[in-house]
Amino acid sequence: MTEQGSAQIGVTGLAVMGRNLARNLARHGHVVALHNRSPERTRSLVEQHGAEGTFVPSESMADFVASLAQPRAVIVMVKAGEPTDAVISELVPLLDEGDIVIDCGNAHYADTRRREAQLKEHGLHFVGCGVSGGEEGALNGPSIMPGGSAESYKTLGPMFEAIAAQVDGTPCCVHVGPDGAGHFVKMVHNGIEYADMQLIAEAYDLLRTGLALEPAEIGQIFRTWNEGDLDSFLINITADVLSHVDAETGRPFIDVVLDQAEQKGTGRWTVQSALDLGIPITGIAEATFARSLSGHADQRAAARAVFGGAAATVDVPDRDNFVEDVRRALYASKVVAYAQGFDHIEAGSDEYGWDIDRGAMATIWRGGCIIRARFLDRIRAAYDEDPSLPSLLVAPYFVEALKNGVDSWRRVVAAAATAGLPTPAFSSSLAYYDGLRRDRLPAALIQGLRDNFGAHTYRRVDRDGSFHTEWAGDEAEHPA
């Protein structure tokens, strides 16, 4: 029998993610306290996986806390929002100064900042910790993004680094920054994930509808792409999904899946946060809106009824060349999505004083997480060379990647528009690239219009200061 106060870390909330994190910790030699609102789940874990390590199960929260060695470290793995607050409220009276509460769920970073401030008043550390990799990652090695105090990381760091994915001997875990930094970075990670999946889906549509290829053929194309610059977890599983055959109907699996994508909210949070910070994350935004559009079945049916639902095949002289164009366009668009995500991280870090190391984020995303990809090494190298890089797009490697891909990118977007194939993420990413590089944008006209109807003022290219023109009078210009 394990003594009371002997567990090094505890997990309350033993659904799939909590269960697998607990098992991962136990497999790495840590004594793990267990608790779940329904004791059956606790008993089930011990019965099925007790041989994997040392578990200390408890049926009450009081016994659970008592089973932990001080300073106590408690992982909370319940639904975000009110359920998390309820568990924290139950925990706080049972804890002592210096104890650590870790929220490893997908919480909104603003909630994490609030909770961190509240628990600090009780002398407690609160850590908002992003965990990516799904249930398999939680068990076998996720990417871990803990925020909170540096002091709390001294306790948690060795445990989390041990259970995280390892790439080239480096754990995919680092202390991101104070208060809500960890959950903010996880939110942006998920936003990039939205963009990545939307781009992959658009590439599939270009090949399936545009070239009339069969899913198995496209799966093989993706498998080939996964051997080059596009090598990533998502490209790899895309090949698996497209190659899969539905056992019941014998049809390609992709053809029996309803085309209405769901979302849990992190994409929306990312877009809302970027709007607040003034950061254009157009690829992530369009990916989020594309999921929303897919779910509006009634509107889609009404539009099909009056406009027709068919899309044409693309008119290209050489099929293989178009496939290569799609590959290049996909890579260029992915670079834009990641660049926008890292810009968002920088803006959040500046706004909240987190001092986040963007190169370190690329490092811990190389393994365990959903967006792990070969080119994250290139991103890490770019920020190692220039930590203040104004945009990932201007790093030498990515400059060449975009220059090599831009002609393909334009051909793909033009062919898709002509054929009636929606490519919101491809198209918005190309528009972002073109907008970023232009020497002069039509925003000058927008400023003139704003001054005309609302006296919002404008600045000039030839002298300092703000100005207003008397549009309704003599059209004379005056300093504002």
Side-chain angles (χ1 to χ4, degrees), residues 188-204 222 229-236 238 283-288 291 330-338 340 365 369-376 379 425-426 429:
V188 176
H189 164 284
N190 284 24
I192 295 172
E193 179 185 308
Y194 274 51
D196 212 341
M197 286 194 285
Q198 177 65 25
L199 289 165
I200 289 170
E202 290 176 17
Y204 155 75
F222 271 87
D229 287 340
L230 283 170
D231 176 13
S232 67
F233 171 72
L234 284 172
I235 294 289
N236 182 53
T238 298
I284 296 170
E286 289 295 348
T288 305
R291 290 198 190 187
L330 175 58
Y331 188 64
S333 298
K334 280 166 67 78
V335 170
V336 168
Y338 280 71
Q340 292 177 348
W365 287 349
C369 72
I370 303 302
I371 63 171
R372 59 186 183 267
R374 177 191 293 188
F375 86 144
L376 282 161
I379 295 176
F426 272 116
S429 298

Side-chain angles (χ1 to χ4, degrees), residues 442-459 467-469 471:
L445 177 57
I446 294 171
Q447 287 301 87
L449 295 172
R450 292 178 72 245
D451 186 62
N452 185 299
F453 68 70
H456 293 297
T457 76
Y458 53 88
R459 288 173 293 152
F467 300 87
H468 167 62
T469 293
W471 298 100

Side-chain angles (χ1 to χ4, degrees), residues 23 32 49 62 98 119-120 123 129-130 132 141 145 181 213 219 224 230 261 292 327 356 365 419 422-423 450 457:
R23 292 173 59 195
V32 183
H49 306 289
L119 267 65
K120 187 179 291 185
C129 182
S132 179
M145 297 155 257
L213 301 183
T224 301
L230 283 170
S292 297
R327 185 193 70 80
I356 297 174
W365 287 349
T423 54
R450 292 178 72 245
T457 76

Side-chain angles (χ1 to χ4, degrees), residues 237-373:
I237 65 172
T238 298
D240 292 342
V241 171
L242 291 175
S243 302
H244 186 55
V245 175
D246 178 54
E248 184 176 342
T249 64
R251 297 169 61 192
F253 168 76
I254 192 69
D255 288 347
V256 301
V257 177
L258 187 67
D259 63 338
Q260 297 176 25
E262 297 181 359
Q263 52 186 305
K264 291 188 174 179
T266 47
R268 287 196 302 273
W269 294 347
T270 309
V271 176
Q272 289 163 351
S273 167
L275 286 170
D276 290 339
L277 293 168
I279 300 299
I281 55 167
T282 53
I284 296 170
E286 289 295 348
T288 305
F289 293 138
R291 290 198 190 187
S292 297
L293 186 148
S294 75
H296 287 277
D298 292 344
Q299 287 184 328
R300 291 173 58 196
R304 280 197 304 275
V306 296
F307 300 120
T313 56
V314 294
D315 183 14
V316 292
D318 187 296
R319 191 197 82 159
D320 291 341
N321 284 346
F322 185 72
V323 171
E324 175 61 14
D325 277 348
V326 172
R327 185 193 70 80
R328 289 172 181 254
L330 175 58
Y331 188 64
S333 298
K334 280 166 67 78
V335 170
V336 168
Y338 280 71
Q340 292 177 348
F342 278 90
D343 288 347
H344 192 180
I345 289 172
E346 181 74 358
S349 180
D350 289 345
E351 176 71 15
Y352 300 111
W354 288 330
D355 194 26
I356 297 174
D357 182 341
R358 290 178 290 177
M361 296 308 98
T363 299
I364 66 171
W365 287 349
R366 294 181 304 157
C369 72
I370 303 302
I371 63 171
R372 59 186 183 267

Side-chain angles (χ1 to χ4, degrees), residues 93-239:
L94 303 172
L95 299 176
D96 295 314
E97 186 173 343
D99 289 349
I100 308 166
V101 178
I102 312 110
D103 177 7
C104 286
N106 269 335
H108 194 289
Y109 74 94
D111 287 339
T112 300
R113 299 189 76 216
R114 168 179 58 80
R115 291 165 182 150
E116 195 268 347
Q118 289 173 342
L119 267 65
K120 187 179 291 185
E121 294 178 358
H122 296 275
L124 303 172
H125 298 281
F126 185 77
V127 174
C129 182
V131 178
S132 179
E135 56 186 85
E136 181 182 347
L139 181 62
N140 297 315
S143 175
I144 307 179
M145 297 155 257
S149 66
E151 183 180 350
S152 66
Y153 193 75
K154 290 178 183 177
T155 298
L156 301 176
M159 289 187 280
F160 282 177
E161 290 176 16
I163 69 168
Q166 309 284 320
V167 176
D168 299 330
T170 301
C172 294
C173 174
V174 72
H175 181 226
V176 177
D179 62 75
H183 273 149
F184 184 90
V185 163
K186 176 57 164 59
M187 175 192 74
V188 176
H189 164 284
N190 284 24
I192 295 172
E193 179 185 308
Y194 274 51
D196 212 341
M197 286 194 285
Q198 177 65 25
L199 289 165
I200 289 170
E202 290 176 17
Y204 155 75
D205 196 26
L206 285 160
L207 302 181
R208 180 74 190 278
T209 307
L211 292 182
L213 301 183
E214 290 300 313
E217 293 179 87
I218 303 170
Q220 187 53 48
I221 289 169
F222 271 87
R223 198 161 275 118
T224 301
W225 287 354
N226 200 48
E227 297 171 359
D229 287 340
L230 283 170
D231 176 13
S232 67
F233 171 72
L234 284 172
I235 294 289
N236 182 53
I237 65 172
T238 298

